[in-house]
Amino acid sequence: MGHGTRRCTTEETITTLGEQLSPDDVIIDGGNSHYKETVRLAEKLQAQQLHLVDVGTSGGVWGLTEGYSLMIGGEPACIERLRPIFETLAPAADQGWGHVGPNGAGHFVKMVHNGIEYGLMQAYAEGFELMQRKDEFGLDLVQIAEIWRSGSVVRSWLLDLTARALHENPSLEGIAAYVTDSGEGRWTVQEAVELAVAIPVISLALQNRFRSRTEDPFGDRLLAAMRNKFGGHAIPEKRSL
């Protein structure tokens, strides 16, 4: 589903719900909506005497067993009314959730969360690739991932999942080098441009995802052509499939 389609679907759903509800009712948007759209929809609902609570939600497929991380935006009174829901969904009643600000803040914090996730994932991927390429040491990446999971400053849940993936498929056979993005990384980078905040790691991680989807990049072929023109360097022949 494209980002524009997702936004349209969310707004249509909220609008339809708003027509069925009574004054002072609350709608929860627990998806990855753009925070600016959330602010706009909240204002629209307020005119109908309704409330919107935006809940940035992290936890993925493990949320059902581990609990969800909930970043919540909205009016304090609404958050308090909904407290039992958040305490039930979070890892614990007093952990993993919180009211972070007014409408839009929940989705904004989740957007930045996902941008950070891009950078962390890219760093792990690059480090493991470097070790995988060091043939002379014959490094066991599964073993190293397990070592790092205990005591290391780079231990994390993402590393736990990386170790699991390597256990299941050490050579990553059958997995295409094609990485999609949900849109939140793009929004994070766009926001950084608007605020003139330097976020080079997250920006480069997003660019690497774009790069992963390009077969036989034109830019790389042009680089080879330029080297040939100024230095007479040989141009590698394109290999046929």
Side-chain angles (χ1 to χ4, degrees), residues 191-205:
E191 188 70 22
V193 171
E194 290 182 15
L195 296 177
V197 175
I199 55 168
V201 172
I202 295 173
S203 299
L204 286 173

Side-chain angles (χ1 to χ4, degrees), residues 67-134:
Y68 295 95
S69 174
L70 306 172
M71 299 143 262
I72 306 165
E75 302 162 68
C78 291
I79 309 305
E80 194 58 33
R81 282 169 58 188
L82 300 172
R83 173 182 286 271
I85 296 175
F86 304 136
E87 290 181 344
T88 300
L89 291 174
D94 59 348
Q95 293 179 356
W97 76 277
H99 181 206
V100 297
N103 280 123
H107 284 156
F108 180 85
V109 172
K110 177 56 163 54
M111 176 191 76
V112 177
H113 165 283
N114 280 28
I116 292 171
E117 181 182 291
Y118 281 34
L120 291 171
M121 292 174 69
Q122 185 66 33
Y124 280 128
E126 291 177 6
F128 276 93
E129 180 171 11
L130 182 60
M131 291 187 290
Q132 190 266 344
R133 293 286 190 94
K134 192 64 173 176

Side-chain angles (χ1 to χ4, degrees), residues 147-159:
I147 291 172
W148 287 357
R149 289 181 66 198
S150 301
S152 166
V153 295
V154 299
R155 65 187 183 274
S156 71
W157 186 52
L158 276 174
L159 180 61

Side-chain angles (χ1 to χ4, degrees), residues 137-173:
F137 287 157
L139 299 173
D140 182 341
L141 300 187
V142 176
Q143 177 201 30
I144 292 166
E146 288 298 334
I147 291 172
W148 287 357
R149 289 181 66 198
S150 301
S152 166
V153 295
V154 299
R155 65 187 183 274
S156 71
W157 186 52
L158 276 174
L159 180 61
D160 294 343
L161 298 178
T162 300
R164 177 172 297 200
L166 290 171
H167 269 295
E168 295 172 353
N169 188 355
S171 65
L172 303 182
E173 185 176 354

Side-chain angles (χ1 to χ4, degrees), residues 183-213:
E184 302 245 321
R186 300 186 193 201
W187 298 342
T188 303
V189 172
Q190 290 166 356
E191 188 70 22
V193 171
E194 290 182 15
L195 296 177
V197 175
I199 55 168
V201 172
I202 295 173
S203 299
L204 286 173
L206 175 64
Q207 294 296 329
N208 270 284
R209 292 196 178 198
F210 295 157
R211 190 68 168 184
S212 76
R213 305 171 209 168

